[in-house]
Amino acid sequence: MTASRDDRLRRRLRDLQRFADDAAYTVELGAAAYLEDSSYGRVLRNNGRHIVVQVATVVEKLPPEFKAEYPDVDWVAIGRMRNLIAHHYDNVDDRLVFAALQRRIPALIERLFRDNGAS
């Protein structure tokens, strides 16, 4: 990869880390608050959905050769989750979004950063 491609990759990995930090903060507020039937709960759910969309948008921009180094990552599922949230918001199971914030995004970051030493 050229220097500019390396810089873009590093920037995208940093973006993923920031979004993972946002996901962790949201999870720290608790599932009960996240799923609460109130304005506060709706704001948290909108935030959680937006984090998932941001992660998927960055993942979509990762170079194919980079993604090929991680065949164990379900790249397609990440995009599908974004599409579900963006196009079928009324069919989104917010418990699954919370689970993605709690487990899937941290696992993705752990997997990518273990090999790339980024943080």
Side-chain angles (χ1 to χ4, degrees):
M1 271 194 268
T2 66
S4 63
R5 289 183 81 184
D6 288 343
D7 290 342
R8 278 195 304 265
L9 177 60
R10 278 192 292 277
R11 188 175 63 246
R12 289 184 175 131
L13 291 173
R14 279 193 309 267
D15 288 344
L16 284 174
Q17 181 61 65
R18 283 194 348 262
F19 300 145
D21 293 344
D22 292 345
Y25 177 79
T26 303
V27 168
E28 285 175 16
L29 298 174
Y34 188 85
L35 298 169
E36 186 176 292
D37 186 19
S38 67
S39 295
Y40 181 63
R42 281 190 304 279
V43 167
L44 290 179
R45 289 188 297 278
N46 285 333
N47 175 64
R49 290 175 178 199
H50 186 67
I51 292 167
V52 170
V53 169
Q54 288 176 307
V55 167
T57 300
V58 171
V59 161
E60 183 180 289
K61 294 178 181 184
L62 291 172
E65 61 273 11
F66 177 83
K67 290 190 217 179
E69 295 176 28
Y70 301 92
D72 54 316
V73 173
D74 193 349
W75 302 109
V76 173
I78 296 169
R80 285 183 181 152
M81 184 96 167
R82 177 181 58 75
N83 290 341
L84 175 67
I85 290 169
H87 301 292
H88 304 284
Y89 65 90
D90 54 334
N91 291 327
V92 174
D93 182 339
D94 286 303
R95 292 177 192 280
L96 292 177
V97 175
F98 189 83
L101 297 172
Q102 187 176 44
R103 292 189 292 276
R104 297 191 82 174
I105 291 173
L108 173 65
I109 297 306
E110 166 64 25
R111 178 67 181 99
L112 298 182
F113 282 57
R114 182 176 357 151
D115 293 346
N116 290 287
S119 59

